[in-house]
């Protein structure tokens, strides 16, 4: 049985790693790993392979950066040749990045079965490129693995046959459970006693320079009392440089850092007084670790982190951010719970289903 995994961008790597490991425990499976090259800097890609113990990709499509259409179409063109040559029995795609939808589309056209890991999440905001990727990928997938019950409800509402959908839990948490002890061993002595950890990369935050400026200004103000550590995504760095915004009070403790490798970032999260972010995965990781999280977005495709976890959506509202931050710092943070099946075993459940299901998957009609 030939299984081909497709990864491309940073958040894919921690999701694919446990699935590759879980499938490796089963007899008779040959796995191929394809990297689209959507992310290519050492600290956005290779370092994750090393830390997660992912095998080096068998094939790298080296598509690099570009507009959405350019990037997606390059992946489609190059990946089609790989699928045609390798004829896998199943292709596994992860999350909601451009690589995910591009690979799924190639497979749908070549009638090669697709499994989508992290299916069913919806922000109901189609201005987010990821929401379009999620909707389309789920429509053309044959096996859909959801991290939480809301995913199953969303897929049912979109008319996706329930036989294809499996609630398995959260594979990113599998990786966290495995590597948190190692991450904690590596925490640098030099960390401040108490700090906020910040990440920003969504176009809705970083492409609107006025908004980005006011947000960074506020965080610079805050950093005079609470140090702010900010590993800067390349996209965000570019915007900050373009706009010449570099807030700096003489007494600020706003530290701009390189994008952090997985273990370092996990360690930073686990010790943070609060995490301020617009990432998807970080909302989940903080919920699992019980660390307060303020999400600078109007919506989330991961509502369980709000209803059950430690996450609070503050929107694009500087005052709300200030208020919620003050509450957390005075000990009034929300107590969260870990959602069901976020237990470190999600990938094993996926491997069981894949190995059992491949013989009798129903491919046509899709729908
Ligand atoms: C992509 C995903 C997003 C995910 C994020 C995680 C899509 C639509 N978006 O966004 O869902 O949350 O990855 O990081 O797939 N760049 C580099 N080096 C790299 C990669 C990117 O410098 O290794 C710079 C380039 O200037 C590039 C920009 O970052 O144009 C954006 O990269 P891209 O992959 O298009 O989107 P992300 O913002 O990273």
């Amino acid at each position: 049985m030939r299984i081909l995994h497709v990864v491309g961008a940073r958040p894919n790597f921690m999701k694919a790693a446990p699935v590759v490991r879980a499938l490796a425990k089963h007899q008779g499976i040959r796995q191929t790993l394809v990297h689209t090259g959507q992310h290519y800097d050492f600290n956005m890609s290779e370092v994750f392979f090393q830390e997660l113990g992912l095998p080096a990709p068998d094939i790298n499509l080296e598509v690099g950066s570009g507009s959405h259409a350019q990037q997606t179409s390059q992946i489609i063109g190059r990946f089609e040749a790989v699928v045609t040559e390798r004829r896998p029995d199943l292709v596994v795609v992860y999350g909601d990045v451009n690589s995910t939808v591009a690979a799924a589309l190639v497979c749908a056209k070549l009638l090669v079965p697709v499994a989508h890991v992290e299916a069913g999440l919806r922000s109901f905001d189609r201005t987010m490129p990821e929401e379009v990727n999620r909707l389309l990928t789920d429509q053309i997938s044959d096996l859909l693995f959801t991290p939480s019950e809301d995913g199953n409800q969303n897929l049912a509402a979109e008319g996706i046959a329930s036989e294809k959908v499996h609630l398995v839990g959260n594979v990113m948490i599998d990786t966290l459970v495995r590597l948190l002890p190692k991450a904690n061993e590596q925490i640098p002595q030099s960390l401040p006693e108490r700090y906020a950890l910040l990440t920003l990369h969504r176009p809705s935050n970083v492409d609107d320079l006025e908004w980005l400026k006011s947000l960074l200004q506020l965080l610079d103000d805050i950093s005079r009392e609470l140090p702010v550590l900010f590993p800067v995504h390349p996209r965000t760095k570019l915007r900050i440089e373009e706009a010449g915004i570099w807030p700096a009070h003489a007494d600020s403790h706003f530290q701009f850092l390189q994008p952090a490798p997985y273990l370092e970032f996990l360690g930073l999260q686990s010790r943070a007084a609060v995490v301020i972010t617009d990432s998807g995965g970080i909302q989940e990781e903080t919920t699992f670790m019980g660390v307060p999280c303020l999400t600078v977005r109007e919506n989330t495709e991961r509502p369980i982190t709000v209803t059950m976890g430690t996450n609070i959506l503050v929107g694009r509202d500087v005052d709300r951010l200030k208020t919620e931050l003050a509450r957390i710092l005075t000990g009034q943070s929300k107590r969260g719970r870990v959602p069901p099946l976020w237990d470190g075993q999600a990938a094993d459940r996926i491997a069981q289903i894949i190995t059992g299901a491949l013989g009798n998957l129903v491919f046509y009609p899709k729908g």
Side-chain angles (χ1 to χ4, degrees):
M1 185 187 292
R2 295 181 304 272
I3 297 183
L4 192 153
H5 305 263
V6 182
V7 294
R10 187 168 60 176
N12 292 158
F13 309 138
M14 351 359 171
K15 294 168 195 167
V19 180
V20 171
R21 289 166 70 88
L23 282 167
K25 294 183 212 155
H26 291 257
Q27 297 287 321
I29 292 189
R30 264 215 345 261
Q31 303 195 67
T32 303
L33 188 58
V34 176
H35 191 325
T36 65
Q38 177 173 347
H39 285 175
Y40 43 85
D41 286 345
F42 175 82
N43 57 10
M44 295 293 285
S45 177
E46 197 179 326
V47 69
F48 287 85
F49 279 73
Q50 293 173 2
E51 291 191 342
L52 300 172
L54 255 177
D58 299 285
I59 298 168
N60 193 322
L61 304 178
E62 296 183 347
V63 298
S65 299
S67 69
H68 285 268
Q70 283 165 348
Q71 194 172 58
T72 310
S73 60
Q74 294 272 3
I75 298 168
I76 289 174
R78 295 180 195 189
F79 186 58
E80 184 183 45
V82 173
V83 178
T84 305
E85 190 211 317
R86 302 248 171 171
R87 293 311 298 184
D89 297 301
L90 180 74
V91 170
V92 188
V93 298
Y94 298 86
D96 56 14
V97 302
N98 287 343
S99 302
T100 312
V101 68
L105 187 55
V106 166
C107 295
K109 300 279 183 164
L110 293 175
L111 306 181
V112 170
V114 182
H116 183 204
V117 174
E118 199 186 83
L121 298 186
R122 297 289 181 267
S123 65
F124 302 101
D125 173 3
R126 292 198 187 182
T127 65
M128 275 182 89
E130 293 81 1
E131 182 73 355
V132 177
N133 296 345
R134 288 188 280 262
L135 278 159
L136 298 182
T137 304
D138 285 340
Q139 280 297 327
I140 55 180
S141 291
D142 302 276
L143 269 176
L144 297 98
F145 296 117
T146 56
S148 46
E149 181 58 41
D150 55 288
N152 293 57
Q153 288 162 11
N154 293 333
L155 294 172
E158 289 166 19
I160 292 176
S162 62
E163 307 87 80
K164 296 179 180 178
V165 182
H166 301 268
L167 175 59
V168 292
N170 191 323
V171 286
M172 217 175 53
I173 299 302
D174 291 8
T175 297
L176 187 156
V177 167
R178 179 166 70 93
L179 291 175
L180 186 59
K182 194 164 177 192
N184 280 332
E185 281 167 20
Q186 297 185 9
I187 292 185
Q189 302 284 321
S190 54
L191 266 191
E193 195 45 40
R194 207 163 184 233
Y195 59 88
L197 179 65
L198 170 68
T199 80
L200 293 172
H201 75 283
R202 295 267 162 228
S204 59
N205 281 323
V206 306
D207 291 355
D208 176 348
L209 296 184
E210 276 314 302
W211 164 246
L212 181 62
K213 196 170 174 174
S214 51
L215 193 54
L216 293 183
Q217 198 58 61
L218 168 73
L219 292 158
D220 192 42
D221 287 345
I222 287 166
S223 78
R224 289 196 271 183
E225 294 184 7
L226 177 74
V228 176
L229 308 189
F230 184 23
V232 187
H233 186 284
R235 177 193 192 95
T236 310
K237 182 162 180 270
L238 216 64
R239 298 289 175 271
I240 290 176
E241 283 167 0
E242 270 169 17
I245 31 177
W246 209 259
H249 289 293
D251 54 351
S252 83
H253 295 278
F254 200 158
Q255 294 184 33
F256 291 83
L257 310 170
Q258 293 296 323
Y262 181 75
L263 293 172
E264 181 184 332
F265 191 76
L266 200 54
L268 287 175
Q269 280 191 84
S270 72
R271 298 289 168 97
V274 56
V275 176
I276 302 167
T277 191
D278 59 8
S279 151
I282 293 171
Q283 298 171 49
E284 298 179 337
E285 290 169 339
T286 47
T287 274
F288 184 84
M289 293 188 283
V291 173
C293 179
L294 298 178
T295 297
V296 190
R297 285 174 47 185
E298 300 292 343
N299 49 55
T300 178
E301 62 289 336
R302 292 159 162 92
I304 200 161
T305 62
V306 176
T307 53
M308 206 176 264
T310 53
N311 189 21
I312 296 173
L313 291 183
V314 294
R316 282 173 38 126
D317 181 341
V318 170
D319 293 329
R320 177 94 202 273
L321 177 57
K322 254 199 241 175
T323 311
E324 295 295 348
L325 202 51
R327 288 160 72 111
I328 290 168
L329 297 177
T330 51
Q332 301 168 63
S333 39
K334 200 173 149 193
R335 304 250 169 276
R337 280 182 297 137
V338 176
L341 300 179
W342 292 22
D343 57 359
Q345 310 292 320
D348 283 325
R349 289 189 277 270
I350 289 176
Q352 291 287 353
I353 294 164
I354 286 180
T355 50
L358 270 184
N360 53 10
L361 269 184
V362 180
F363 301 126
Y364 327 111
K366 293 187 178 278

